């Protein structure tokens, strides 16, 4: 018997049923952030009574230690608490939002973001992070698309793996590692209509093929915990779904960490129509939930359910054991205060961490358009920097930056000013609507400053300033709280009050660069048609302004590529690159204007910007795809290569993407699927051959029996610079 098991056996032998149930209770005292409708009352008394297993929603040794003191010194068994926090894209040093970071396709950089976040979080007393969020999303109306890695399961799985490694570094007993909590299990990103918390309904094939892989990847990477989702799966809310939490997660995937619910999601099952608090709490316990976040359904009702035979003591024992094991893995039984030494606090917001944040902010900028090579800007030019986000600090962190202090963020104006002559005017408000601004005020902080001036006066001033400049840079887009939790939008354009400003700037006839701040894919058709260049900067975090300026002035050559499709209008949603063919495909390029084809009458089928799109200041030329064989036998390997040449003036990075199509199979397959990628750096005129080794692993899919199989036949191998710009070759793969 392992030392860990016998230690926990001994401890559990001493625990009463109430104390065991107490370990399953996760409480939020409030005061810092609060994402749900409630906070927990009388927390110290509850800890003393052995009714609390963990706490979350705050940070700082001075805030954590007093609670741990009570748990360790004033309870019968002195069991330490686990402390959680939403550390989503950095801790006090804020990195770009996860969707932005995913656009770097740079797993080392993404892992580094989680590593640094872990170092800062651990220094701040917290040992458990509610991250990574790995929900695949094909609907940009859903505000939480900002928190994930976009629409693709292959890329999403790589990101999930990198994040877990960054947080846990393969050894939770180290003082600077924290336990990851993968979320939200499962399918949360597929909420109907993109409306947060809404119903999800999908086929098993779709689930297994497109939505489940990133959760699995995070678990295979060793994530210590997982959070349930608010939505239902197959008609049963996730927090009460035994198929999901036990059959799939534990039995099929072998997960041995612990399962925590999302905020009050056990209680919310009553609203879903699953019964009263005792019934839904029993449902959750029997389904495989170990820890109850905030709702206290477990502490209030599990004992009665056990007495009435509705829940077995074994279920409580198993849950309690898993939570104690997590605490043991974090070294909390050896030293409950190991995260409270205060020793490493100087690492928080250190110059090194800020430098990393700046690099990440720059490397997540996606160059959407760059006519006549307008970017990079010349330092000799006079630049008119105009727009509601030009000198904005409050919105730089982006959604879910709970420990990030916006006052420490760098604005775009501050980033640009040291490098060129920059004239500035605000020009417009993010929105003129006070009501909207209030709705978006989170934790009492209003992030939208509405100017006292009349909007037309602001435009007049902006146009006058623009007339003195060689080039206009317009910083426009969303406010940070327009994406994230509870921030779904039915119109995903740049807020309309910014349009008159853009129209007036366009009318000046000056070269117009748009710098677009966003937490989701936006509809940018007008902007695409009217701007000369467009740089998508998302929300870049603490160093946003410096990182964006690095790109605008060409110190960093943009290389990021979109990880979520940008629709032309909301009516095209859901729109994603790995869609299936219809029986009546509309081939615009083929030129047949047939009525009975799968298309819209009022918009083309293609998105504005496809998955994988992103330009560079230089240009790359792709040679043909070469395969080392025309036929492959069974377990053989195929090497697909392409030569890429930098044909432009700047050194630059390119993300080379490999897609595969399986044109004939026993179930319908997508038109193409990402199966590999590599980021390479090329100097001007330099060329390099990039090779991908393909095995049957990359050909596998879930068939009607939900077996993960490959079927012999012909395959198309595509390599290119985006999902819509590829070169292809054919191979036959025999049994
Ligand atoms: C969110 C989770 C988060 C939790 C705790 C919930 O509302 O859905 O992502 O981890 O709150 O703050």
């Amino acid at each position: 018997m392992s030392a860990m098991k016998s230690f926990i056996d001994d401890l559990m032998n001493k625990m009463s049923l109430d104390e065991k149930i107490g370990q399953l209770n996760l409480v939020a005292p409030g005061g810092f952030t609060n994402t749900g409708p409630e906070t927990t009352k009388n927390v110290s008394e509850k800890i003393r009574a052995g009714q609390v297993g963990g706490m979350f929603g705050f940070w700082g040794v001075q805030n954590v230690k007093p609670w741990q003191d009570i748990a360790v010194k004033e309870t019968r068994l002195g069991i330490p608490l686990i402390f959680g926090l939403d550390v989503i894209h950095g801790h006090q040093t804020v990195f770009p939002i996860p969707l932005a970071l995913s656009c770097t396709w740079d797993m080392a950089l993404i892992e580094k973001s989680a590593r640094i976040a872990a170092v800062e979080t651990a220094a701040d007393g917290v040992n458990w992070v509610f991250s990574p969020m790995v929900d695949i999303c094909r609907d940009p109306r859903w505000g939480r698309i900002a928190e994930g890695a976009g629409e693709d399961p292959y890329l999403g799985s790589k990101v999930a793996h990198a994040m877990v490694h960054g947080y846990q570094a393969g050894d939770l007993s180290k003082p600077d590692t924290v336990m990851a909590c993968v979320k939200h299990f499962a399918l949360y990103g597929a909420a109907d209509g993109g409306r947060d918390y809404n119903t999800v309904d999908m086929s098993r094939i779709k689930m297994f093929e497109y939505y489940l892989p990133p959760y699995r990847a995070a678990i295979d990477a060793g994530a210590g915990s997982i959070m349930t989702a608010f939505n239902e799966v197959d008609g049963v809310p996730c927090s009460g779904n035994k198929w999901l939490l036990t059959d799939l997660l534990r039995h099929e995937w072998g997960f041995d960490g612990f399962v925590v619910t999302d905020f009050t999601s056990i209680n919310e099952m009553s609203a879903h129509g699953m019964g009263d608090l005792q019934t839904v709490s029993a449902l959750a316990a029997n389904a495989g939930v170990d820890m109850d976040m905030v709702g206290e359904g477990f502490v209030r009702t599990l004992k009665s359910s056990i007495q009435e035979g509705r829940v077995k003591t074994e279920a409580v024992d198993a849950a309690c054991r898993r939570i104690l094991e997590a605490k043991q893995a974090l070294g909390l039984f050896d030293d409950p205060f190991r995260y409270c030494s205060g020793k490493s606090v100087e690492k928080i917001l250190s110059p090194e961490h800020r430098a990393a944040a700046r690099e990440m902010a720059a490397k997540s900028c996606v160059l959407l358009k760059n006519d006549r090579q307008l970017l990079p800007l010349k330092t000799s030019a006079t630049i008119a920097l105009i727009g509601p986000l030009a000198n904005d600090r409050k919105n730089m962190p982006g959604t879910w930056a709970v420990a990030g202090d916006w006052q420490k963020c760098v604005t775009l104006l501050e980033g640009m000013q040291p490098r060129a002559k920059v004239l500035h005017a605000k020009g417009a408000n993010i929105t003129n609507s006070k009501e909207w601004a209030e709705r978006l005020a989170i934790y009492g902080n209003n992030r939208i400053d509405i100017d006292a001036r009349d909007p037309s006066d602001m435009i007049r001033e902006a146009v006058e300033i623009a007339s003195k400049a060689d080039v206009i840079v317009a910083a426009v887009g969303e406010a940070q709280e327009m994406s994230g939790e509870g921030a779904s939008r039915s119109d995903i354009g740049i807020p309309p009050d910014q349009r008159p400003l853009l129209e007036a700037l366009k009318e000046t006839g000056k070269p117009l660069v748009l710098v677009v701040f966003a937490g989701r894919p936006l509809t940018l058709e007008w902007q695409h048609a009217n701007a000369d260049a467009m740089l998508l900067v998302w929300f870049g975090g603490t160093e946003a302004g410096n990182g964006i300026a690095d790109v605008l002035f060409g110190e960093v050559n943009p290389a990021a590529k979109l990880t979520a499709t940008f629709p032309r209008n909301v009516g095209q949603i859901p729109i994603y690159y790995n869609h299936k063919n219809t029986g009546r495909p509309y081939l615009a390029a083929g030129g047949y204007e047939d009525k009975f084809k799968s298309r819209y009458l009022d918009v083309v089928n293609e998105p504005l910007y496809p998955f994988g799109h992103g330009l560079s200041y230089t240009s790359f030329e792709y040679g043909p795809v070469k395969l080392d064989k025309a036929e492959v036998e069974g377990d053989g390997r195929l090497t697909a290569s392409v030569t890429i040449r930098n044909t432009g003036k700047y050194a630059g990075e390119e993300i080379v993407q490999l897609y595969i199509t399986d044109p004939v199979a026993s179930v319908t397959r997508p038109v193409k699927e990402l199966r590999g990628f590599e980021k390479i750096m090329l100097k001007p005129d330099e060329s390099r051959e990039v090779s991908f080794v393909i095995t049957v692993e990359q050909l596998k899919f879930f068939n009607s029996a939900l077996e993960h199989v490959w079927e012999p036949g012909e395959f198309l191998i595509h390599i290119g610079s985006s999902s819509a710009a590829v070169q292809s070759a054919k191979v036959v793969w025999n049994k």
Side-chain angles (χ1 to χ4, degrees):
M1 188 193 290
S2 72
M4 169 154 157
K5 182 156 186 315
S6 72
F7 170 81
I8 291 175
D9 281 348
D10 288 350
L11 181 57
M12 285 185 57
N13 282 337
K14 292 183 210 146
M15 293 173 80
S16 66
L17 178 60
D18 286 316
E19 282 165 333
K20 288 176 185 169
I21 294 173
Q23 285 300 308
L24 320 188
N25 195 24
L26 177 63
V27 307
F32 286 80
T33 65
N34 194 29
T35 52
E38 304 177 26
T39 51
T40 316
K41 308 284 173 312
N42 308 324
V43 174
S44 12
E45 288 93 286
K46 285 177 180 163
I47 300 175
R48 276 188 202 98
Q51 288 171 0
V52 177
M55 299 181 70
F56 77 101
F58 54 93
W59 63 95
V61 170
Q62 72 286 5
N63 300 315
V64 171
K65 199 163 172 293
W67 299 115
Q68 193 70 305
D69 268 325
I70 303 179
V72 173
K73 299 179 186 154
E74 299 180 40
T75 64
R76 194 176 76 89
L77 295 169
I79 300 174
L81 300 167
I82 186 171
F83 292 94
L85 187 67
D86 285 286
V87 174
I88 309 298
H89 46 114
H91 178 57
Q92 294 207 42
T93 304
V94 183
F95 302 123
I97 56 169
L99 183 60
L101 266 178
S102 73
C103 293
T104 65
W105 300 50
D106 183 336
M107 297 309 132
L109 198 69
I110 290 171
E111 181 169 336
K112 188 174 175 185
S113 78
R115 183 85 290 279
I116 293 176
V119 167
E120 293 198 357
T121 308
D124 245 349
V126 173
N127 41 42
W128 182 32
V129 291
F130 299 153
S131 172
M133 189 283 218
V134 303
D135 304 320
I136 293 295
C137 180
R138 294 170 164 185
D139 190 334
R141 290 172 295 185
W142 192 53
R144 300 197 81 171
I145 193 172
E147 295 174 53
E151 73 191 32
D152 184 65
Y154 179 87
L155 184 70
S157 298
K158 300 272 179 214
V159 172
H161 182 97
M163 294 291 288
V164 171
H165 272 269
Y167 289 130
Q168 302 193 160
D171 184 357
L172 284 174
S173 70
K174 287 191 192 148
D176 67 351
T177 55
V178 294
M179 185 174 280
C181 183
V182 190
K183 66 190 191 186
H184 306 80
F185 196 55
L187 321 181
Y188 184 32
D192 270 5
R195 178 155 57 77
D196 210 359
Y197 317 122
N198 205 4
T199 307
V200 172
D201 191 9
M202 76 170 66
S203 72
R204 288 279 162 107
I205 286 191
K206 189 170 178 183
M207 221 182 264
F208 277 87
E209 201 67 66
Y210 308 105
Y211 285 81
L212 294 177
Y215 307 106
R216 174 85 197 252
I219 282 159
D220 290 347
S225 64
I226 191 164
M227 188 186 293
T228 61
F230 288 120
N231 54 277
E232 63 180 62
V233 166
D234 270 342
V236 181
C238 293
S239 297
N241 194 316
K242 184 158 188 291
W243 172 76
L244 189 69
L245 303 182
T246 298
D247 300 351
L248 181 69
L249 182 65
R250 297 216 180 266
H251 297 162
E252 218 176 305
W253 294 358
F255 177 64
D256 62 2
F258 74 95
V259 176
V260 61
T261 68
D262 204 345
F263 210 107
T264 59
S265 69
I266 293 181
N267 316 54
E268 290 171 26
M269 287 199 280
S270 296
H272 281 280
M274 308 302 289
D276 63 13
L277 185 64
Q278 184 176 352
T279 305
V280 294
S281 302
L283 188 66
N286 290 329
V289 166
D290 300 311
M291 201 177 228
D292 171 4
M293 189 191 284
V294 182
E296 303 205 323
F298 279 0
V299 278
R300 282 191 229 159
T301 69
L302 271 193
K303 197 173 180 186
S304 315
S305 291
I306 287 175
Q307 284 157 356
E308 292 160 24
R310 296 167 78 175
V311 173
K312 295 207 175 77
T313 25
E314 288 80 7
V316 170
D317 281 347
C320 176
R321 176 180 294 280
R322 290 186 195 118
I323 289 157
L324 297 176
E325 279 172 359
K327 294 179 179 181
Q328 166 94 338
L330 285 164
L332 294 174
F333 287 111
D334 301 327
D335 177 6
F337 298 99
R338 61 186 319 212
Y339 290 86
C340 292
S341 71
K343 266 192 228 141
S344 304
V345 284
E346 79 285 350
K347 293 192 179 145
I348 293 174
L349 280 162
S350 67
E352 190 195 335
H353 289 184
R354 289 195 77 131
R358 179 171 181 161
E359 182 190 358
M360 292 174 206
K363 287 193 165 169
S364 2
C365 293
V366 186
L367 184 62
L368 295 174
K369 170 175 182 176
N370 195 20
D371 284 356
R372 300 183 308 282
Q373 298 280 302
L374 181 55
L375 289 176
L377 298 170
K378 293 184 187 57
T379 48
S380 56
T382 299
I383 300 160
L385 174 62
I386 289 168
L389 288 140
N391 196 26
D392 177 284
R393 203 181 307 285
K394 290 183 178 166
N395 289 284
M396 292 304 102
T399 185
W400 266 129
V402 293
D405 178 356
W406 62 263
Q407 304 198 56
K408 299 207 167 78
C409 291
V410 179
T411 75
L412 179 55
L413 180 62
E414 287 164 351
M416 289 177 73
Q417 252 165 352
R419 312 186 212 206
K421 184 167 180 211
V422 182
L423 312 172
H424 166 249
K426 185 170 174 186
N429 298 309
I430 295 179
T431 170
N432 297 333
S433 160
K434 285 207 183 88
E435 195 197 323
W436 239 49
E438 270 160 31
R439 205 179 304 155
L440 297 173
I442 184 148
Y443 318 134
N445 292 324
N446 189 352
R447 305 270 173 160
I448 300 184
D449 293 323
I450 300 180
D451 210 279
R453 288 174 292 172
D454 190 88
S456 57
D457 291 339
M458 293 169 77
I459 293 179
R460 213 169 299 126
E461 179 198 51
V463 167
E464 198 185 309
I465 285 194
S467 71
K468 296 181 193 141
D470 304 311
V471 54
I472 304 170
V473 174
V476 292
E478 296 187 297
Q480 73 164 33
E481 296 306 333
M482 288 180 180
S483 63
E485 186 171 354
S488 298
R489 296 178 66 199
S490 70
D491 172 353
I492 56 169
I494 291 177
D497 291 335
Q498 298 174 49
R499 176 66 74 82
L501 170 68
L502 289 179
E503 284 167 359
L505 295 176
K506 170 78 185 164
E507 242 170 63
T508 64
K510 301 263 178 181
L512 179 59
V513 179
L514 297 195
V515 170
V516 180
F517 290 80
R520 58 156 59 77
L522 298 175
T523 48
L524 297 170
E525 270 210 305
W526 185 91
Q527 289 75 8
H528 180 81
N530 288 281
D532 301 291
M534 221 178 336
L535 186 70
L536 172 68
V537 301
W538 306 109
F539 289 103
T542 310
E543 288 286 331
N546 285 329
I548 301 165
D550 288 343
V551 175
L552 288 174
F553 288 104
E555 278 151 50
V556 173
N557 186 352
K561 306 260 192 185
L562 298 177
T563 57
T565 302
F566 273 48
R568 289 173 191 273
N569 62 28
V570 170
Q572 283 187 319
I573 298 171
I575 184 167
Y576 44 93
Y577 86 95
N578 49 352
H579 64 87
K580 300 205 175 165
N581 236 338
T582 67
R584 296 185 175 195
Y586 176 68
L587 302 171
Y592 50 98
E593 284 295 327
D594 220 347
K595 177 169 171 60
F596 300 106
K597 295 288 177 190
S598 179
R599 61 168 174 172
Y600 301 101
L601 291 175
D602 53 358
V603 66
V604 297
N605 287 353
E606 290 70 33
L608 182 61
Y609 302 119
F611 175 87
H613 170 76
L615 305 174
S616 162
Y617 294 152
T618 196
S619 47
F620 300 100
E621 195 182 87
Y622 279 69
V625 175
K626 285 177 283 170
L627 303 181
D628 68 339
K629 35 182 103 67
E631 284 197 34
V632 193
E633 302 304 316
D635 281 348
R637 291 148 69 94
L638 172 72
T639 303
S641 323
V642 72
T643 299
I644 297 140
R645 197 161 78 87
N646 182 342
T647 51
K649 291 199 303 253
Y650 300 87
E653 287 181 308
E654 166 72 340
I655 300 166
V656 184
Q657 302 158 42
L658 167 78
Y659 297 88
I660 299 182
T661 308
D662 184 354
V664 180
S666 59
V667 293
T668 58
R669 305 288 297 121
V671 294
K672 58 170 86 83
E673 289 175 293
L674 184 72
R675 284 294 180 256
F677 58 88
E678 196 177 324
K679 197 170 186 177
I680 56 166
M681 167 62 102
L682 291 177
K683 294 201 230 40
D685 246 355
E686 196 188 352
S687 53
R688 167 127 25 115
E689 188 178 72
V690 172
S691 298
F692 295 97
V693 174
I694 301 164
T695 70
V696 289
E697 281 311 306
Q698 283 125 298
L699 309 181
K700 285 187 177 169
F701 60 92
F702 287 90
N703 66 14
S704 299
L706 292 182
E707 296 153 339
H708 202 214
V709 298
W710 68 281
E711 293 171 357
E714 193 178 277
F715 294 87
L716 304 179
I717 311 296
H718 320 271
I719 302 179
S721 61
S722 89
S723 62
V726 292
Q727 316 251 6
S728 311
K730 261 185 208 167
V731 66
V732 174
W733 212 295
N734 299 314
K735 195 71 193 171

